[in-house]
Amino acid sequence: MLRLASLTVVLTLAAVGANQLLLEQTLQTAAHGWATQVARDMLREEPRLGQLLRSAPAELAERELLQDFPLPQEFSGFRLLGTSGAPLLEMAAPDRGQPIDAAHPPHVEVPVEDAQGTAGALQMTLRETGRRRYLVRVFRIAQASVVLFGGAMLALLLWLGLRGRREEAAAIRARTLLRHDSLTGLATHAELRKSLARALPGARAGQRQVGVLVMNLRGFRDVNALHGRATGDAVLEALARRLRTLVRREDTVARLSADRFAVVQTAMAGEEDAVALAERLANALAEPLLLPNTPSLTLCVEFGLAVAPQDGDEAELLLARAEAALSAARGVPKPAIRGFQPAMDEALRARRAIEADLQQAIEAEALVLHYQPQRRLRDRRLVGFEALLRWPHPLRGLVPPIEFIPLAEQNGMIVPLGAWVIRAACAEAARWPGEQRVAVNLSPAQFRHGDLVHTVADALARSGLSAHRLELEITESLLQEDPEDVVALLRDLRGLGVSIAMDDFGTGWSSLAHLWRFPFGKLKIDRAFITDLACDPKLSAIVATIVGLGRILDMTVVAEGVETEEQARILAAEGCEQGQGWLFGRPMPAEAARRLSAEEWAEAARSVA
């Protein structure tokens, strides 16, 4: 791009120079033509002029020749030269002013020719007027156009060059982010798989063993919740620095997720090397972390270990078995180190089988949505439905969401699955009469991966559903992960016109800061506060507080898990606006929800009439 810019400058200067040369040549040619015409006009005015120039120079000087000859405005005077070149007659037009250069006036000389041949010469003094001025202006405009065009091309090339550099820098950063975690600088999950794939051929040949160590930080979410995201990030950075100092240069350390790490240990003599590394890591990571402006923190780490070739000689299988060992370690009260055992394979095979079935079900759109009614408490009017995902498995029957949703979140299937749920819910709600809304739950993974805003906008456009009839529900755990990016996405979603609801409010690490920082339109009280509402006054006080908070912040409050009339009465008395639960209807297929919506709409129309 720099070469093109330099070439543009050179070509522009060359074009300006060529234009100037052409201007001078054109002016010279034009002046010569004008002067030749003047010479011819003089011969017509004075037919004896040629003879006088040849034979009687003295008489020519004394005669009053050409006194009234009209000079073109491009000339300020003329001089007639005899055959010998001596000046014989000179005349200047008194009303023409100064020539172009008074000190060294430019002139053009042409022969005076009659029927007998050349009789003498005519020198004409030039002025910057008339046709000459017009030609100069035309060429100056052309020069300016060349300069402007060259400048525009140069600016365009420079802009393209800067944009290219920015795009190249962005591409380099993207490639770096694909290989290295942005916070810790450790390898990513993809890079870990590549490193493992490079190391495994030696294990298959029996030359060496390769170990995969997966570790989990127990209670790391509590660190984020108690001390803030910045402290959590500092903990992860300090942990990454420690990990780098404890492994060899040829080993690979990766960050798999927020609180999970892995090490690929190459060229091991045996499984005891992997166990020794795990113990060394456990001891080192158990030492308190000293962070600025924060009390020292101690981490609890649990490990899962798999070794090639005995535990598998394929990258995905080895990682899966290390994860299976980690699951066993997480099932004990104290942090532990667990190696893979063949008995774990059964659970792993079952997990893989259900993963494969789920993938096929997603591709075939074999999952279905059921809809649970939401009603206004004061008059029991239907206000909408919550879309709930169901998986009718051909062999296992109806698989509960608690079994397959976490699996879909772990392996990335939740992104296409969540997009399908949004599209299907919008398409179904568009068939309901009236203004009933549909609520859709979002997974944190949909905020981290995939274009959620585009997915929602596309679903609304395809279905024709009004944006205000779509509610997107998120949980508070999402707000702990990356609040700045999340709030930006939530605001973009609100910009589409949809409503945002906080689901399960009151559980986990609830923070009032979430309610004013994020654009929520609805609060959903978790069912844990509703179950014993009728027999525990403290729960009634908590519900009243949440309802009052929602009223102050202009948020609709919905109670989940309403199963009895007494619960509904207490909620209505406390000012809760809407309720959802078995009292008002269990989750139902789309056809049943459609019939219920039509019946409610018809009844409302009759009551108005």
Side-chain angles (χ1 to χ4, degrees), residues 425-443:
C426 287
E428 180 60 32
R431 304 175 67 178
W432 301 338
E435 292 292 307
Q436 289 99 347
R437 297 187 175 194
V438 63
V440 177
N441 290 280
L442 297 181
S443 165

Side-chain angles (χ1 to χ4, degrees), residues 183-184 220 223-224 228-238 255 481:
L183 176 63
T184 63
F220 178 71
V223 174
N224 271 340
R229 178 65 182 271
T231 299
D233 289 348
V235 168
L236 294 175
E237 290 174 320
R255 184 186 180 197
E481 296 186 5

Side-chain angles (χ1 to χ4, degrees), residues 471-502:
E471 292 179 354
L472 301 176
E473 297 184 2
I474 68 168
T475 58
E476 292 178 279
S477 61
L478 173 67
L479 308 181
Q480 302 290 340
E481 296 186 5
D482 201 345
E484 298 303 324
D485 290 344
V486 170
V487 71
L489 271 174
L490 290 176
R491 285 173 178 159
D492 289 343
L493 290 171
R494 280 294 295 268
L496 297 177
V498 304
S499 176
I500 309 295
M502 179 184 281

Side-chain angles (χ1 to χ4, degrees), residues 28 31-32 35-36 75 79 81-82 85 106-112 120-126:
Q28 186 67 24
H32 192 276
T36 300
F75 303 105
R79 177 186 296 174
L81 308 179
H107 64 274
V108 60
E109 182 175 320
V110 295
V112 178
L122 173 64
Q123 287 184 350
M124 304 291 295
T125 304
L126 297 170

Side-chain angles (χ1 to χ4, degrees), residues 325-340:
L326 177 63
S327 296
R330 296 172 69 174
V332 298
K334 292 184 179 181
I337 301 172
R338 289 287 184 270
F340 175 77

Side-chain angles (χ1 to χ4, degrees), residues 4-78:
L4 287 176
S6 301
L7 181 61
T8 300
V9 173
V10 171
L11 291 177
T12 301
L13 293 177
V16 171
N19 182 279
Q20 184 63 33
L21 291 175
L22 183 61
L23 170 62
E24 294 175 358
Q25 184 178 359
T26 301
L27 290 176
Q28 186 67 24
T29 302
H32 192 276
W34 297 332
T36 300
Q37 185 61 45
V38 169
R40 292 172 183 166
D41 292 342
M42 285 182 175
L43 285 172
R44 281 195 295 270
E45 179 78 16
E46 184 56 61
R48 296 176 302 148
L49 180 60
Q51 181 180 356
L52 294 173
L53 289 175
R54 292 189 186 92
S55 60
E59 183 181 353
L60 178 63
E62 293 175 359
R63 290 181 178 228
E64 294 183 356
L65 294 177
L66 305 173
Q67 293 295 321
D68 298 324
F69 184 78
L71 284 178
Q73 59 181 345
E74 289 82 14
F75 303 105
S76 61
F78 67 88

